[in-house]
Amino acid sequence: MGNLKFKVSFVAGLITIICLSILGFITYFFLKNLIYDEVIETETSYIKVAKNSLISFQEKNLEALENYSKRISGFSYDELSSEQALKENVGEELKVLRDAGGFLAAYIAQPNGELIVSDSDSDSKGLDFGIYGKADNYDARTREYYQEALKTNDVYITPSYVDITSKLPCFTYSKALYKDGKFIGVLAIDVLTKDLQQEYEANPGRTFAFDKNNKIFAATDKEQLKEGYNIDQIAAISKTKADFEPFEYTRKRDNSERFAICAKYENSTICIGEPLDIVTEPILKMTYVQIVSSLIMVAIISLLLYIFIAKLLSPLTTIQSGLNAFFDFINHKTKNVSTINIKTNDEFGQISKAINENILMTKQGLEQDNQAVKESVSTVQVVEKG
């Protein structure tokens, strides 16, 4: 009986394990994709926040430069056509522009390469602006911001570079100025990225922004701003991907598995790079919890099945005992036999009822046979006595 209960429990437990395993595999792949999608969605939201920070930063600077260029265009050509005219009509306003925007410098590069500039040097002299040019071995006409501004009707933004004085990344925004179709000069502002950097440090995730030369100018992790930090690999891959399209790669310098998401804005790219563990670790944790939970469930279910099956099969013990007593009665080991006491209406009840009927019939038959034998013996004894 104990062996039967074990066999039935084992089969039921095996079926349970198979069903839980199938369910586990289905759940694993479903949750794996779900977790991956959630991680990607979260990281993508970080990129969007970082991109919006860059957009706001650039739009603020562009607006300042555009507004001031419009202000200058309100002057007549004669008020702008010479260095003296520019100094008299625009020079002091450069200080106002610089202070209002918190810029590193604001200046106009003249057609002769000389600058009318408001910067820290003019501040140290107690002046609103100063002249910077040939006397300082400087010619604006050789500089990128000047040359590229002449090629476009729009504002040109240089790649990031490190300011010599502050040692911080900055950009130069420049725009060519014309009056009555005649070239006046190039209006420019030097903009430190410190405000943008502060936003990136406060933003969630590990985001960073780099220019067309793969130079990082803002990053959540300040280590990425250090000279020589190489992002050529991720920059090259990002060029082949659509905005917000996740990709995985093996970082060459340490062979670590990583994933990244990037989005482009103007000549800049904003990315987030994380160890691939940030995706796989939750999946592995989920798998571990699922396996442990399944094992515990199998153990509990197997125990409950054994107890439940033992209870269900308990009538078999009663039937077995009843049959053994009946066989002892038939074999004259006992003089009396009782019926099997099972009152359920299930198959066990029906079996016990049939057995009881046969026990009673057999008992009655045996009693009749015994009575007949006794009568025969009595008759023989009478005959023997004559």
Side-chain angles (χ1 to χ4, degrees), residues 70-77 79-80 89-90 93 179:
K70 290 177 182 178
R71 181 179 177 84
I72 293 175
S73 66
F75 292 97
S76 66
Y77 176 73
E79 293 174 312
L80 302 171
N89 297 298
V90 178
E93 294 293 331
K179 184 65 180 180

Side-chain angles (χ1 to χ4, degrees), residues 185-214:
V186 172
L187 174 65
I189 52 176
D190 292 342
V191 183
L192 285 172
T193 60
K194 62 179 182 179
D195 291 340
L196 179 64
Q197 175 60 27
Q198 288 175 357
E199 285 194 36
Y200 268 59
E201 290 176 15
N203 287 343
R206 193 171 181 270
T207 55
F208 56 94
F210 58 91
D211 59 27
K212 63 182 181 181
N213 295 329
N214 297 347

Side-chain angles (χ1 to χ4, degrees), residues 44-196:
T44 299
S45 69
Y46 295 160
I47 283 288
K48 290 179 179 179
V49 171
K51 182 178 180 180
N52 288 336
S53 294
L54 177 58
I55 291 173
S56 298
F57 174 78
Q58 288 204 4
E59 287 181 346
K60 181 190 72 173
N61 299 325
L62 288 170
E63 183 180 9
L65 191 67
E66 290 283 9
N67 287 341
Y68 194 67
S69 68
K70 290 177 182 178
R71 181 179 177 84
I72 293 175
S73 66
F75 292 97
S76 66
Y77 176 73
D78 291 337
E79 293 174 312
L80 302 171
S81 59
S82 67
E83 180 175 298
Q84 185 60 36
L86 286 171
K87 286 163 53 177
E88 291 176 357
N89 297 298
V90 178
E92 292 181 359
E93 294 293 331
L94 290 172
K95 172 68 171 174
V96 176
L97 168 65
R98 177 172 158 243
D99 290 344
F103 303 131
L104 187 64
Y107 46 96
I108 293 178
Q110 302 173 80
N112 63 2
E114 298 275 311
L115 296 185
I116 300 175
V117 56
S118 175
D119 59 6
S120 58
D121 185 56
S122 61
D123 288 344
S124 66
K125 297 175 182 178
L127 302 174
D128 289 334
F129 64 91
I131 303 298
Y132 189 79
K134 293 178 182 178
D136 306 287
N137 197 28
Y138 178 87
D139 188 344
R141 295 172 295 185
T142 65
R143 300 305 174 104
E144 179 183 356
Y145 76 86
Y146 186 98
Q147 295 173 349
E148 294 299 326
L150 294 178
K151 297 177 183 179
T152 177
N153 292 324
D154 206 348
V155 175
Y156 175 72
I157 305 173
T158 67
S160 65
Y161 61 94
V162 177
D163 173 60
I164 297 175
T165 305
S166 66
K167 306 299 181 183
L168 295 173
C170 64
F171 293 97
T172 295
Y173 290 66
S174 59
K175 182 177 177 64
L177 299 175
Y178 296 90
K179 184 65 180 180
D180 299 333
K182 299 175 182 179
F183 178 58
I184 302 299
V186 172
L187 174 65
I189 52 176
D190 292 342
V191 183
L192 285 172
T193 60
K194 62 179 182 179
D195 291 340
L196 179 64

Side-chain angles (χ1 to χ4, degrees), residues 304-364:
L304 292 175
L305 281 174
Y306 183 83
I307 295 172
F308 187 64
I309 289 171
K311 184 173 180 61
L312 286 177
L313 295 181
S314 60
L316 282 178
T317 303
T318 305
I319 293 173
Q320 184 180 24
S321 300
L323 288 174
N324 289 334
F326 174 61
F327 293 140
D328 288 342
F329 172 73
I330 291 177
N331 294 322
H332 304 291
K333 292 181 180 180
T334 59
K335 295 182 178 181
N336 197 10
V337 65
S338 59
T339 57
I340 299 171
N341 186 24
I342 297 178
K343 298 181 180 180
T344 60
N345 293 322
D346 55 14
E347 288 80 356
F348 290 126
Q350 295 174 6
I351 291 171
S352 64
K353 182 179 179 181
I355 293 173
N356 286 338
E357 290 176 354
N358 282 279
I359 288 174
L360 292 175
M361 290 175 60
T362 303
K363 181 180 178 183
Q364 185 178 0

